[in-house]
Amino acid sequence: MHELILGGARSGKSACAEGRARQWLAGGGEATLIATALAADAEMMERIARHRAERAQRAPGLQTHEEPVDLGGALRRLGRPGQLLVVDCLTLWLSQALLPPPGHAPLELPRLQAELLDALDALRALGVPVLLVSNEIGCGVMPMGREVRACVDALGALHKAVAARCDRLTLMVAGYELRVK
């Protein structure tokens, strides 16, 4: 069973997914988090380190695999019987491809489309449960920049495509879950 967990920044999305992973681990399964963040500057490196430390406390035994680009390949490589996969998060994965940090080139449109389709195909084909975390968008003001608006549009389309492939859709609001699907 796949689940998409959406919510605003700091709404409890990651903690929710880690709680589900903790339950999975307690039942004797294995769980791996696919971290999509690209550590491109000191602040992001510090943020990633903080997330690792928090995750180790909230979900001991949850293994981490870092993959900022090839999400479909990571899902296929890591998905095996008895395994739960957690993707945290789709927002970073897509926004880094479209609006990369300094020193990194954006993915060209054909490559980005191929990566998106590959991730969606992998999700559809996997026989193991996947929890996907992402920031809900479109609840605020419209961004001023063309590139940022394009990123918001692409993320909205990705959310719809992923939600269609998921059995459950959960919206996190101030640390509380709202089951949408």
Side-chain angles (χ1 to χ4, degrees):
M1 180 174 83
H2 302 326
E3 179 178 7
L4 176 59
I5 302 171
L6 293 173
R10 309 304 296 167
S11 64
K13 304 175 301 292
S14 295
C16 176
E18 291 163 4
R20 298 212 201 312
R22 195 172 47 252
Q23 290 174 335
W24 184 268
L25 290 162
E30 295 179 27
T32 300
L33 180 127
I34 301 171
T36 63
L38 184 61
D41 59 44
E43 187 273 336
M44 186 55 106
M45 288 178 206
E46 182 180 304
R47 183 178 288 262
I48 290 169
R50 186 177 67 247
H51 280 277
R52 281 185 192 135
E54 291 170 355
R55 192 167 47 244
Q57 287 188 325
R58 287 191 301 238
L62 177 61
Q63 301 298 310
T64 299
H65 175 87
E66 297 188 13
E67 182 50 66
V69 178
D70 184 17
L71 182 56
L75 290 167
R76 286 187 189 87
R77 283 189 305 278
L78 299 169
R80 58 186 182 278
Q83 183 77 31
L84 170 72
L85 298 177
V86 179
V87 176
D88 197 355
C89 81
L90 293 176
T91 309
L92 279 173
W93 179 67
L94 184 62
S95 63
Q96 290 168 162
L98 292 170
L99 303 167
H104 296 271
L107 289 184
E108 297 296 326
L109 187 57
R111 168 104 188 269
L112 176 61
Q113 289 173 330
E115 292 292 343
L116 288 167
L117 290 174
D118 186 51
L120 292 170
D121 287 345
L123 186 60
R124 184 180 316 115
L126 277 176
V128 301
V130 181
L131 304 175
L132 301 115
V133 174
S134 195
N135 287 45
E136 179 55 281
I137 49 98
C139 294
V141 297
M142 190 63 169
M144 294 297 290
R146 180 179 58 83
E147 294 86 2
V148 178
R149 286 191 301 272
C151 188
V152 167
D153 292 345
L155 191 56
L158 177 61
H159 286 167
K160 290 174 191 170
V162 170
R165 287 164 177 79
C166 287
D167 305 289
R168 286 173 60 174
L169 172 59
T170 300
L171 179 64
M172 295 299 298
V173 179
Y176 288 90
E177 297 180 32
L178 175 63
R179 179 80 46 90
V180 177
K181 171 182 167 183

